[in-house]
Amino acid sequence: MAFPIHAILCAIDFSPFCARVCDYGVALARRAGVRLYLLHAVHHPQDRIHPTLVFERGGDLKHLMAEARRRMQHLMEPVSVDWQPVVRFGDPVEQIAALVDMLPPCLVVSASHGVSGLRRFFIGTVVERMSRTMDRPMLVVKPTTGDGGNPTVGFRRVVVGCDGNGYWHRAARLLSLLQPEPTWPIHLVHAMEGPMDMHPEDPPPASYAQAQRALQDHLDHQLRRQAGRLFPAQKRLSTTVAPGDPEDMVLRVARERGADLIVVGVRPSGAMGRLISGSTTEVLLRHGPCSVLTVPEPKDANNSAGGER
């Protein structure tokens, strides 16, 4: 089932890069003809010595929230678009998820700011946590985006990671919003599991190499057929089907093709999965050379069948 988009939500932190995030939000809201929401979450202030909350003194919280609204107005001064500021107090991921639940189906736009070492290993970045907890698509804009990915134009070169669960199918309508020109290329990448996954009615091949080749041809044919059905107006569709790790293949193809956008499916995890990361989605968010669109699985999908691919 494709995602309907009736709103755009920009999560902003007032970092130097947040203006570009707003540019994407404005361009997408205009293109889709929907309202733009800007959300800033004021973090819990904490005591520097003891891990306890510092209670508001002298109206500090009210001042911080009023300052956030003022900075939002400054960001949007030269822009003519239907938009609404939202300032909340609390953990950014929790506040974004809460607002998303109140809005009509939306696309979330955020920026990627990396962390390193044990902090990344145990808690991940804000966008990694968001990708695991939300059931809405999220466009993660990276400062490393090169000459492509112009907010007012769209993403010129898109690479889609195609898992066996087919969650990437849900991105078809979104891609027409993110890449409005049908002559720009979309390249689909699928990592093979192995010849043992061949249909039981298939005749046994003479060798492992033949089995791998037969499976590769079969999957490539299926992928091309699905792509033609999902992107009927697209003029430049291509595929890569080969054995390998999904994240390694997508990263390699994205770099080779100078991708402006990577599309990847994501399966929300349990409590430990949110703490200790390492899935395909997190790898692409951390190491991808360009912006990333995360596409969550449907709510009614079976979450018990292993991790995402």
Side-chain angles (χ1 to χ4, degrees):
M1 180 180 65
F3 285 105
I5 298 299
H6 299 305
I8 303 294
L9 169 61
C10 279
I12 59 174
D13 57 3
F14 300 122
S15 66
F17 192 63
C18 76
R20 187 163 176 83
V21 173
C22 290
D23 289 343
Y24 275 97
V26 168
L28 291 169
R30 284 175 173 167
R31 201 173 297 149
V34 299
R35 171 172 283 190
L36 170 66
Y37 295 83
L38 262 59
L39 170 65
H40 175 72
V42 177
H43 291 263
H44 293 285
Q46 289 191 331
D47 185 285
R48 293 185 178 182
I49 299 176
H50 305 288
T52 55
L53 295 182
V54 175
F55 292 100
E56 181 184 5
R57 298 182 180 91
D60 290 343
L61 178 57
K62 291 181 180 178
H63 171 75
L64 290 172
M65 297 181 80
E67 177 65 10
R69 292 190 182 92
R70 185 194 67 78
R71 296 180 72 176
M72 284 183 178
Q73 292 288 345
H74 179 71
L75 276 172
M76 299 296 289
E77 269 180 4
V79 176
S80 174
V81 69
D82 180 19
W83 75 284
Q84 178 177 329
V86 181
V87 181
R88 292 191 169 187
F89 172 64
D91 176 79
V93 176
E94 294 176 1
Q95 296 307 315
I96 292 167
L99 180 58
V100 163
D101 287 341
M102 297 174 58
L103 295 179
C106 64
L107 169 66
V108 178
V109 185
S110 182
S112 175
H113 300 291
V115 296
S116 59
L118 288 177
R119 184 165 180 259
R120 166 182 276 179
F121 181 78
F122 283 109
I123 65 172
T125 65
V126 168
V127 293
E128 288 167 8
R129 291 171 58 207
M130 286 166 60
S131 73
R132 287 294 190 172
T133 57
M134 291 192 311
D135 62 350
R136 294 290 186 269
M138 180 171 63
L139 174 63
V140 181
V141 181
K142 288 198 169 189
T144 53
T145 300
D147 60 347
N150 186 319
T152 60
V153 175
F155 295 96
R156 295 179 181 274
R157 296 173 294 276
V158 177
V159 169
V160 182
C162 303
D163 56 31
N165 297 312
Y167 304 147
W168 63 275
H169 293 186
R170 309 182 78 204
R173 185 182 299 180
L174 274 176
L175 282 183
S176 65
L177 178 65
L178 297 171
Q179 191 197 50
E181 176 52 61
T183 60
W184 293 343
I186 295 178
H187 190 82
L188 295 90
V189 180
H190 177 73
M192 295 167 52
E193 296 293 339
M196 67 289 297
D197 294 327
M198 294 187 70
H199 194 280
E201 297 179 0
D202 291 341
S207 68
Y208 181 90
Q210 288 179 330
Q212 188 177 69
R213 183 71 248 177
L215 177 60
Q216 189 169 339
D217 291 343
H218 173 70
L219 293 175
D220 186 71
H221 175 75
Q222 281 191 325
L223 191 59
R224 289 178 180 273
R225 185 175 58 186
Q226 292 170 351
R229 184 179 71 252
L230 291 168
F231 308 105
Q234 198 66 30
K235 306 299 183 184
R236 298 174 62 186
L237 288 170
S238 55
T239 59
T240 292
V241 177
D245 294 326
E247 56 267 30
D248 292 340
M249 288 181 58
V250 172
L251 285 174
R252 174 178 57 80
V253 172
R255 291 186 179 112
E256 290 174 352
R257 293 180 172 267
D260 304 314
L261 179 69
I262 293 173
V263 181
V264 61
V266 59
R267 170 175 290 169
S269 65
M272 184 55 67
R274 294 191 186 106
L275 292 173
I276 299 179
S277 55
S279 70
T280 297
T281 303
E282 274 104 2
V283 170
L284 295 176
L285 285 173
R286 295 175 186 179
H287 303 296
C290 57
S291 298
V292 177
L293 174 68
T294 64
V295 182
E297 70 174 3
K299 279 187 175 181
D300 57 354
N302 182 5
N303 293 328
S304 63
E308 95 202 49
R309 295 301 304 273

